[in-house]
Every structure is written in C-alpha cells, then in structure tokens.
Amino acid sequence: MKLDDLAVNLGAYGLHLRGVLNLSREELKSLQIDVDGVVSIALVGNIGSSYWSEFSQSDEYQDGKPDPLDRWSRRIAEQVAETFGARPVYPFEGPPYHPFLQWAKRAEALNQSPMGLMIHPDYGLWHSYRFGLLFSSMQQPDTPGISVESPCLSCDGQPCLHSCPVDA
C-alpha cells in the first residue's frame, strides 16, 4: 500500500493523513487489540474546516440523530479501511479509550496550549483526529514528531486566555 494513495483517498472526504506510527505488540495488547501482525497506525483527521463541505452534505449531519460527526467519521473510516485492508479505531470509542493524543504527539510537532488543547505549529488549534487505520502489511517507520517550541510561548498577550479562560 502506498501512503500517497491513502492520502488521495482521504482527500476526497476533506480528511488528511496526519502521520504513521509503528505500534508495539505491548501497545496493542494494552489496548485490547487482538490482531496478529498489526504493526502500524495511520492517523487521520482534519485541518481547519477541510472536511466541512463533505460532512455538512452527509446524511449523518442532516438526520438529526446524536453524534453526527462521530457517525460520519465511522462510516468514512469503514469505507477507507475496506479499500485499503485496514482496521479502523476511533478516539470516541471506549473505554478503554485509545491514546490518540499520545499517538499524535509521536506523529507530529504538537504542544499543549495554555487552554489544554494540542496546538500545531502550522494549524494552531484548528485540527483534530477523527480515526486511525491499523495496518498489518505496512512496515512504515514512524513519521517523527518534531519537537518545536510552542507558538503559545511567543504569542503577544495570549488573547485566547482572555477569550476562553483555562478554567472555563
């Protein structure tokens, strides 16, 4: 499987391949994932409003039932997983919950903002992770999470703290 093909497929839904990590057998066991040979997870999410045009036209968005974004994410993840021979996992499914934030910090240059949210050096707070795809055939090395200084440290006046206090 080529990561470029996966990225193109995800792009049709306004989603992005956010990083690929190798998972150890211990990690898989602690997550109660009992699949032989699964060694990698591809993290999938949005950047800004990248998925909005697709999601806002979906049945899930329009049907008035609870959790439309989670249900849409699940449907898309299952379609992509079937196409690429993967198993989807979700940040909103549990307990036990999968450690998406830990995986994300291994995959990308993220820091915790003063509000507690993960901030990306290019996307700010406007990003999220909708699902992961577990692969048994992908022997892809980790995409290194590059350590960078938090943009919050150099932000003049940190206006987000005044608009949305940490303890709000």
Side-chain angles (χ1 to χ4, degrees):
M1 193 228 18
K2 294 183 180 179
L3 291 178
D4 290 344
D5 294 338
L6 178 58
V8 167
N9 187 287
L10 293 168
Y13 304 103
L15 296 170
H16 297 269
L17 179 60
R18 302 289 305 274
V20 178
L21 306 170
N22 293 327
L23 299 179
S24 70
R25 298 243 183 258
E26 293 77 27
E27 278 183 294
L28 293 169
K29 186 176 180 179
S30 72
L31 296 170
Q32 300 176 357
I33 298 172
D34 186 25
V35 179
D36 283 338
V38 173
V39 295
S40 301
I41 184 168
L43 299 176
V44 176
N46 68 290
I47 297 168
S49 61
S50 63
Y51 67 86
W52 185 253
S53 63
E54 290 296 319
F55 169 63
S56 64
Q57 299 301 312
S58 71
D59 290 341
E60 293 88 353
Y61 178 79
Q62 298 179 21
D63 67 14
K65 295 178 184 174
D67 305 314
L69 184 55
D70 290 348
R71 291 185 295 114
W72 178 82
S73 297
R74 185 180 301 278
R75 180 173 58 83
I76 301 307
E78 289 172 2
Q79 290 173 359
V80 174
E82 185 175 328
T83 299
F84 289 94
R87 176 181 170 192
V89 292
Y90 308 97
F92 48 82
E93 188 177 75
Y97 293 96
H98 301 298
F100 271 79
L101 292 180
Q102 291 173 7
W103 292 336
K105 288 191 280 186
R106 285 171 49 196
E108 297 190 272
L110 298 174
N111 289 286
Q112 190 167 357
S113 74
M115 296 186 329
L117 302 171
M118 299 307 289
I119 189 164
H120 189 280
D122 296 323
Y123 316 129
L125 298 174
W126 292 98
H127 66 102
S128 71
Y129 300 88
R130 297 308 312 155
F131 56 89
L133 297 170
L134 297 170
F135 288 93
S136 60
S137 60
M138 185 190 320
Q139 294 288 333
Q140 181 70 25
D142 289 0
T143 50
I146 301 165
S147 178
V148 297
E149 183 177 285
S150 173
C152 297
L153 297 177
S154 60
C155 181
D156 189 28
Q158 296 183 328
C160 66
L161 292 178
H162 305 292
S163 300
C164 182
V166 173
D167 60 352

